[in-house]
Amino acid sequence: MIVIAQVSDIHVDGEQRSVDRTRAVMRYLEELPYDLAAVLVTGDIADHGTADEYAVVRELLKSRHPLLVCPGNHDDRAAFREGLLPEDTETRPDAPVNQALRGEGFVVALCDSSVPGKDEGFLEDGTLEWLDGVLAATPHETPVLVAFHHPPVPLHTPYVDGIRQFGTERLAALADRHPHLTAFLAGHAHTAAATTFAGRPLLVAPGVVSALRLPWENPGPDSPHVHLDLPPALAFHILDEDGGLTTHYRTVTV
């Protein structure tokens, strides 16, 4: 049984609230009586993309489990790379931050869907070429999970859907060529969601820093879009011996 945790949208901003909520989630994962195959943090790591925020994040995201992090629309690629990937000295600072983890019986490809200076998402041609290479180099019996920040479909959340991932027909065509691409994972929406994209499950992690009000939950047009009083949450994705995928969502006490 392969268990992968997904954390998203920690938005570390220099305030104690985001630090406390992120620390609570990481402590929960550290205290599990089980070694996770991976922990994925799918974007919006720093709220303003500053060096000071990434310095705090670097201390918060220490883990005994293998950990991968990708940028979101609130992140700055150069500051992200300098603060969280200091060993990556050969890549130009503003290049997409794409990472792969090849574990025992699975592969995770974490793609950078951020667009510098914009809130919406898009996978650059170079990122798609990189992903195509990861999939081509993976045996067809090995499941591959593809993760990024921006969901590639609307989620009935108008606040986020306008800044989702676009240009997704290219990603769908790539998926058609690789049947062992098992599922897509995303963040950005600050709400747990499950749907499909390109014939695969699309599983969206809840937010750590806040939760999004869905349209039918919002008491009025002047009400805030986000809940600040709900607990942080995360997702567990489980790959079983038969190739099945199950996702569980958990809240964490701060």
mmCIF file of all heavy atoms in Angstrom, residues 4 26 30 76 78 81 111 113 130 148 150 181 187 203 212 249:
data_model
loop_
_atom_site.group_PDB
_atom_site.id
_atom_site.type_symbol
_atom_site.label_atom_id
_atom_site.label_comp_id
_atom_site.label_asym_id
_atom_site.label_seq_id
_atom_site.Cartn_x
_atom_site.Cartn_y
_atom_site.Cartn_z
ATOM 1 N N ILE A 4 0.337 8.609 -0.110
ATOM 2 C CA ILE A 4 0.919 9.910 -0.455
ATOM 3 C C ILE A 4 0.032 10.996 0.136
ATOM 4 O O ILE A 4 -1.175 11.030 -0.122
ATOM 5 C CB ILE A 4 1.017 10.066 -1.984
ATOM 6 C CG1 ILE A 4 1.968 9.012 -2.556
ATOM 7 C CG2 ILE A 4 1.470 11.475 -2.361
ATOM 8 C CD1 ILE A 4 1.956 8.919 -4.060
ATOM 9 N N MET A 26 2.031 19.756 9.459
ATOM 10 C CA MET A 26 3.292 19.034 9.353
ATOM 11 C C MET A 26 3.544 18.173 10.588
ATOM 12 O O MET A 26 4.064 17.049 10.474
ATOM 13 C CB MET A 26 4.439 20.018 9.132
ATOM 14 C CG MET A 26 4.366 20.772 7.808
ATOM 15 S SD MET A 26 4.220 19.693 6.351
ATOM 16 C CE MET A 26 5.780 18.805 6.438
ATOM 17 N N GLU A 30 4.200 14.177 10.726
ATOM 18 C CA GLU A 30 5.402 13.642 11.358
ATOM 19 C C GLU A 30 5.068 12.604 12.429
ATOM 20 O O GLU A 30 5.838 11.663 12.662
ATOM 21 C CB GLU A 30 6.215 14.774 11.988
ATOM 22 C CG GLU A 30 6.895 15.674 10.980
ATOM 23 C CD GLU A 30 7.866 14.915 10.090
ATOM 24 O OE1 GLU A 30 8.937 14.510 10.573
ATOM 25 O OE2 GLU A 30 7.537 14.698 8.903
ATOM 26 N N ASP A 76 6.844 33.207 -6.329
ATOM 27 C CA ASP A 76 7.797 33.772 -7.273
ATOM 28 C C ASP A 76 8.840 32.695 -7.576
ATOM 29 O O ASP A 76 9.496 32.184 -6.662
ATOM 30 C CB ASP A 76 8.470 35.008 -6.668
ATOM 31 C CG ASP A 76 9.521 35.595 -7.581
ATOM 32 O OD1 ASP A 76 9.173 36.436 -8.422
ATOM 33 O OD2 ASP A 76 10.707 35.197 -7.449
ATOM 34 N N ALA A 78 11.851 32.565 -8.977
ATOM 35 C CA ALA A 78 13.251 32.775 -8.613
ATOM 36 C C ALA A 78 13.437 32.709 -7.101
ATOM 37 O O ALA A 78 14.368 32.052 -6.611
ATOM 38 C CB ALA A 78 13.731 34.122 -9.153
ATOM 39 N N ARG A 81 12.917 29.093 -5.910
ATOM 40 C CA ARG A 81 14.058 28.233 -6.191
ATOM 41 C C ARG A 81 15.228 28.547 -5.251
ATOM 42 O O ARG A 81 15.865 27.650 -4.706
ATOM 43 C CB ARG A 81 14.466 28.408 -7.653
ATOM 44 C CG ARG A 81 15.584 27.513 -8.099
ATOM 45 C CD ARG A 81 15.826 27.598 -9.593
ATOM 46 N NE ARG A 81 15.022 26.615 -10.315
ATOM 47 C CZ ARG A 81 13.991 26.901 -11.100
ATOM 48 N NH1 ARG A 81 13.618 28.154 -11.260
ATOM 49 N NH2 ARG A 81 13.324 25.946 -11.712
ATOM 50 N N CYS A 111 4.342 19.336 -11.563
ATOM 51 C CA CYS A 111 4.521 20.298 -12.655
ATOM 52 C C CYS A 111 4.225 21.716 -12.188
ATOM 53 O O CYS A 111 3.323 21.941 -11.374
ATOM 54 C CB CYS A 111 3.580 19.961 -13.813
ATOM 55 S SG CYS A 111 3.749 18.299 -14.469
ATOM 56 N N SER A 113 2.516 24.916 -12.846
ATOM 57 C CA SER A 113 1.452 25.519 -13.665
ATOM 58 C C SER A 113 1.372 27.021 -13.479
ATOM 59 O O SER A 113 0.466 27.665 -14.033
ATOM 60 C CB SER A 113 0.093 24.885 -13.323
ATOM 61 O OG SER A 113 -0.267 25.156 -11.971
ATOM 62 N N TRP A 130 8.826 17.902 -20.681
ATOM 63 C CA TRP A 130 9.440 17.233 -19.522
ATOM 64 C C TRP A 130 8.525 16.130 -19.006
ATOM 65 O O TRP A 130 8.969 15.003 -18.745
ATOM 66 C CB TRP A 130 9.714 18.271 -18.439
ATOM 67 C CG TRP A 130 10.125 17.679 -17.127
ATOM 68 C CD1 TRP A 130 11.379 17.288 -16.761
ATOM 69 C CD2 TRP A 130 9.274 17.394 -16.013
ATOM 70 N NE1 TRP A 130 11.369 16.781 -15.478
ATOM 71 C CE2 TRP A 130 10.088 16.836 -15.004
ATOM 72 C CE3 TRP A 130 7.914 17.575 -15.765
ATOM 73 C CZ2 TRP A 130 9.571 16.437 -13.760
ATOM 74 C CZ3 TRP A 130 7.402 17.180 -14.542
ATOM 75 C CH2 TRP A 130 8.219 16.617 -13.548
ATOM 76 N N PHE A 148 -0.094 19.463 -9.844
ATOM 77 C CA PHE A 148 0.201 20.867 -10.120
ATOM 78 C C PHE A 148 -0.705 21.711 -9.238
ATOM 79 O O PHE A 148 -1.539 21.171 -8.485
ATOM 80 C CB PHE A 148 -0.012 21.222 -11.598
ATOM 81 C CG PHE A 148 -1.076 20.418 -12.309
ATOM 82 C CD1 PHE A 148 -2.393 20.436 -11.897
ATOM 83 C CD2 PHE A 148 -0.749 19.626 -13.395
ATOM 84 C CE1 PHE A 148 -3.369 19.696 -12.546
ATOM 85 C CE2 PHE A 148 -1.704 18.884 -14.066
ATOM 86 C CZ PHE A 148 -3.019 18.923 -13.640
ATOM 87 N N HIS A 150 -2.845 24.547 -10.299
ATOM 88 C CA HIS A 150 -4.117 24.986 -10.883
ATOM 89 C C HIS A 150 -4.938 23.813 -11.415
ATOM 90 O O HIS A 150 -4.449 23.064 -12.275
ATOM 91 C CB HIS A 150 -3.874 25.952 -12.041
ATOM 92 C CG HIS A 150 -3.198 27.234 -11.664
ATOM 93 N ND1 HIS A 150 -1.844 27.328 -11.450
ATOM 94 C CD2 HIS A 150 -3.709 28.476 -11.494
ATOM 95 C CE1 HIS A 150 -1.534 28.582 -11.158
ATOM 96 N NE2 HIS A 150 -2.636 29.296 -11.173
ATOM 97 N N LEU A 181 -0.740 7.004 -16.784
ATOM 98 C CA LEU A 181 -1.017 8.230 -16.030
ATOM 99 C C LEU A 181 -2.318 7.969 -15.278
ATOM 100 O O LEU A 181 -3.394 7.901 -15.869
ATOM 101 C CB LEU A 181 -1.134 9.430 -16.975
ATOM 102 C CG LEU A 181 -1.044 10.827 -16.367
ATOM 103 C CD1 LEU A 181 -0.890 11.885 -17.454
ATOM 104 C CD2 LEU A 181 -2.237 11.171 -15.483
ATOM 105 N N GLY A 187 -4.287 21.802 -6.366
ATOM 106 C CA GLY A 187 -4.622 22.613 -5.192
ATOM 107 C C GLY A 187 -5.441 23.812 -5.624
ATOM 108 O O GLY A 187 -6.388 23.679 -6.389
ATOM 109 N N LEU A 203 -8.171 15.052 -8.401
ATOM 110 C CA LEU A 203 -8.388 15.136 -6.958
ATOM 111 C C LEU A 203 -7.765 16.425 -6.446
ATOM 112 O O LEU A 203 -6.561 16.662 -6.633
ATOM 113 C CB LEU A 203 -7.769 13.918 -6.279
ATOM 114 C CG LEU A 203 -8.306 12.588 -6.839
ATOM 115 C CD1 LEU A 203 -7.418 11.429 -6.424
ATOM 116 C CD2 LEU A 203 -9.747 12.365 -6.405
ATOM 117 N N LEU A 212 -12.607 27.643 1.125
ATOM 118 C CA LEU A 212 -13.436 28.457 0.238
ATOM 119 C C LEU A 212 -14.914 28.192 0.491
ATOM 120 O O LEU A 212 -15.334 27.046 0.644
ATOM 121 C CB LEU A 212 -13.109 28.127 -1.215
ATOM 122 C CG LEU A 212 -13.815 28.969 -2.280
ATOM 123 C CD1 LEU A 212 -13.267 30.384 -2.288
ATOM 124 C CD2 LEU A 212 -13.643 28.324 -3.651
ATOM 125 N N TYR A 249 -9.782 12.519 2.999
ATOM 126 C CA TYR A 249 -9.492 13.888 3.438
ATOM 127 C C TYR A 249 -9.560 13.948 4.958
ATOM 128 O O TYR A 249 -10.442 13.319 5.575
ATOM 129 C CB TYR A 249 -10.479 14.878 2.811
ATOM 130 C CG TYR A 249 -10.382 14.948 1.305
ATOM 131 C CD1 TYR A 249 -11.280 14.263 0.482
ATOM 132 C CD2 TYR A 249 -9.387 15.698 0.705
ATOM 133 C CE1 TYR A 249 -11.172 14.330 -0.904
ATOM 134 C CE2 TYR A 249 -9.272 15.785 -0.674
ATOM 135 C CZ TYR A 249 -10.171 15.103 -1.473
ATOM 136 O OH TYR A 249 -10.072 15.165 -2.854
#
